[in-house]
Amino acid sequence: MSVSGRADQIQVAKVIGIPIYLHFSWLIIFGLIVWTLSTGYFPAKYPDLPASSYWAKGLVASLLFFVSILLHELGHAVVARLHGLRTRSITLFIFGGVAQLEKDPRDGRAEFWMAAAGPVVSLALAGFFYACANLPFVGPSAAAVAKYLALINLILAVFNLVPAFPMDGGRLLRGALWGPLGKARATRIASTAGTFFAFLLIFIGVFSLIRGDALGGLWYILIGWFIKDASTASYQQVRLDEALRGVTVRDAMVDTVVTVPSAGSVAEAARELFLRTGYGGYPVTRGDAVIGLLCLKDVLRLSAEEREATSVQGAMRPLTDAIVTEPDVPLPLAIARMAQAGTARLLVMHGDQLVGLLTMSGVIRRLKVREVLAT
Ligand SMILES: [Zn+2]
């Protein structure tokens, strides 16, 4: 086991090169399912057995249930790989599993088959466990567990096939509409269906609460809320992609740039530039050449005395590929580079020549203007 980049999940395995994570919320649902099966489902279906038998069945059934979810997600991952898409990770959490793809599929066909793979695996597992339960040499205890697993895999397949994005059924719908309508409209329709279904679940949840089923009611509300958030987020991502399509760095950069000479002190730069013009960063020049970038962050790192004693050149980030972009680069690539470099601005250079400055606030302002003018 190792801790991943995120503190709230741990890696428990690696299958066909894909790291498998358990999110801490998975423990809650795992405990809840073991408890429900051992004290509710199995005692009701198979009365008059010792408690230890119920707990053993509950534990084995819960473990195999999560193995089933893992296989469902691996189904998505394998078909994604056949379409040339890598799966970054698979995470089991309170609402089941999620396979994190490196990027969106290229076309509707790939999306359709990737989405179909999970429910197909669940249906196959349902058939497999049903067959196991009816084999002559399988004892009554194992048969009871197998019957439960057949049922739960069938429910998993059917629930995931509801046409509500970002669930599998919603992805099938988007995949089918993508070709004829384009990705943006297909996503809008699938997300709308997702939001509708989410509110339906929340409504059912509230109704169950009123009727006195607190746990079931809360559960529906939570799942509904989760789907509503996910469908809104994925729709916004598509809108952002659409808004940025065909836009280059040149379209979004500032081309009149205030620069700071390398020889002066940081304190001087703070007084003369940062305080006066109010920008977050300035290209640093020596003669005609640009040699780096001085950001507000670099100034704030220093104490008042240090600012007096340090030259701009001593405090700046030196010119490297990480903080430079060409004017003809697509804007989404430049934004990704900013995120990687952990900076909110890039120098736009054409050869040795500084032609502009790309800032995150400038990009956001531009997107807002486009949105206002488009509606
Ligand atoms: Zn799925």
Side-chain angles (χ1 to χ4, degrees):
M1 293 208 288
S2 72
V3 175
S4 77
R6 295 178 47 179
D8 51 1
Q9 55 186 31
I10 50 167
Q11 187 180 337
V12 287
K14 200 167 197 176
V15 184
I16 55 168
I18 303 166
I20 313 292
Y21 293 107
L22 279 188
H23 187 260
F24 84 94
S25 64
W26 176 81
L27 285 173
I28 301 172
I29 190 65
F30 183 74
L32 204 61
I33 290 179
V34 172
W35 181 69
T36 314
L37 288 179
S38 310
T39 63
Y41 177 85
F42 285 122
K45 284 225 136 183
Y46 310 94
D48 302 326
L49 294 174
S52 62
S53 156
Y54 294 135
W55 283 101
K57 284 189 184 62
L59 199 64
V60 172
S62 303
L63 280 174
L64 287 175
F65 173 39
F66 282 101
V67 170
S68 300
I69 292 181
L70 188 58
L71 290 172
H72 171 118
E73 297 305 331
L74 283 170
H76 289 307
V78 167
V79 175
R81 186 171 294 183
L82 293 178
H83 284 92
L85 286 172
R86 266 171 39 84
T87 303
R88 209 180 290 153
S89 63
I90 291 176
T91 306
L92 295 183
F93 70 123
I94 193 162
F95 298 129
V98 60
Q100 196 86 53
L101 285 178
E102 216 155 53
K103 50 180 191 268
D104 254 9
R106 265 189 320 277
D107 53 36
R109 192 184 297 261
E111 168 106 273
F112 187 89
W113 290 115
M114 277 162 47
V120 166
V121 168
S122 294
L123 280 178
L125 285 169
F128 169 76
F129 284 118
Y130 184 75
C132 284
N134 290 290
L135 285 175
F137 54 85
V138 169
S141 282
V145 170
K147 251 184 218 162
Y148 165 76
L149 288 164
L151 178 70
I152 199 73
N153 272 296
L154 184 65
I155 292 174
L156 209 60
V158 171
F159 184 73
N160 270 293
L161 282 173
V162 169
F165 196 84
M167 292 167 64
D168 294 341
R171 291 185 185 277
L172 282 172
L173 179 64
R174 181 169 90 156
L177 296 178
W178 188 328
L181 298 180
K183 186 183 179 187
R185 278 186 70 193
T187 307
R188 185 161 64 228
I189 293 170
S191 300
T192 306
T195 309
F196 176 78
F197 179 67
F199 278 114
L200 185 69
L201 279 179
I202 293 173
F203 178 76
I204 293 174
V206 172
F207 193 66
S208 307
L209 270 182
I210 293 171
R211 290 190 48 190
D213 177 10
L215 192 61
L218 279 177
W219 193 241
Y220 280 122
I221 292 173
L222 276 178
I223 295 187
W225 207 265
F226 172 72
I227 292 174
K228 182 185 81 66
D229 274 358
S231 78
T232 310
S234 42
Y235 181 50
Q236 278 165 351
Q237 180 62 49
V238 170
R239 279 185 58 179
L240 185 64
D241 291 347
E242 285 288 300
L244 292 179
R245 194 165 55 186
V247 180
T248 62
V249 166
R250 191 191 301 280
D251 298 322
M253 72 184 189
V254 187
D255 48 15
T256 45
V257 184
V258 183
T259 59
V260 53
S262 62
S265 73
V266 173
E268 210 176 308
R271 276 194 304 272
E272 302 293 319
L273 281 175
F274 285 93
L275 280 174
R276 266 221 194 122
T277 58
Y279 297 130
Y282 303 86
V284 180
T285 54
R286 187 166 55 207
D288 285 339
V290 175
I291 61 165
L293 180 67
L294 183 71
C295 293
L296 188 56
K297 261 197 223 166
D298 309 321
V299 177
L300 294 177
R301 241 197 306 273
L302 304 173
S303 68
E305 299 87 63
E306 284 171 329
R307 286 177 205 168
E308 294 289 348
T310 312
S311 71
V312 167
Q313 187 169 357
M316 71 179 192
R317 295 148 201 236
L319 195 66
T320 60
D321 282 348
I323 58 164
V324 170
T325 179
E326 291 262 327
D328 297 323
V329 168
L331 190 53
L333 284 184
I335 292 176
R337 174 168 293 185
M338 276 193 215
Q340 251 168 24
T343 163
R345 52 196 15 85
L346 292 177
L347 299 167
V348 186
M349 310 272 296
H350 190 59
D352 298 338
Q353 212 61 41
L354 180 72
V355 293
L357 193 64
L358 183 71
T359 66
M360 205 56 214
S361 53
V363 170
I364 291 167
R365 199 163 44 237
R366 193 199 146 75
L367 283 175
K368 278 191 183 142
V369 171
R370 266 173 84 104
E371 175 134 352
V372 171
L373 286 180
T375 49

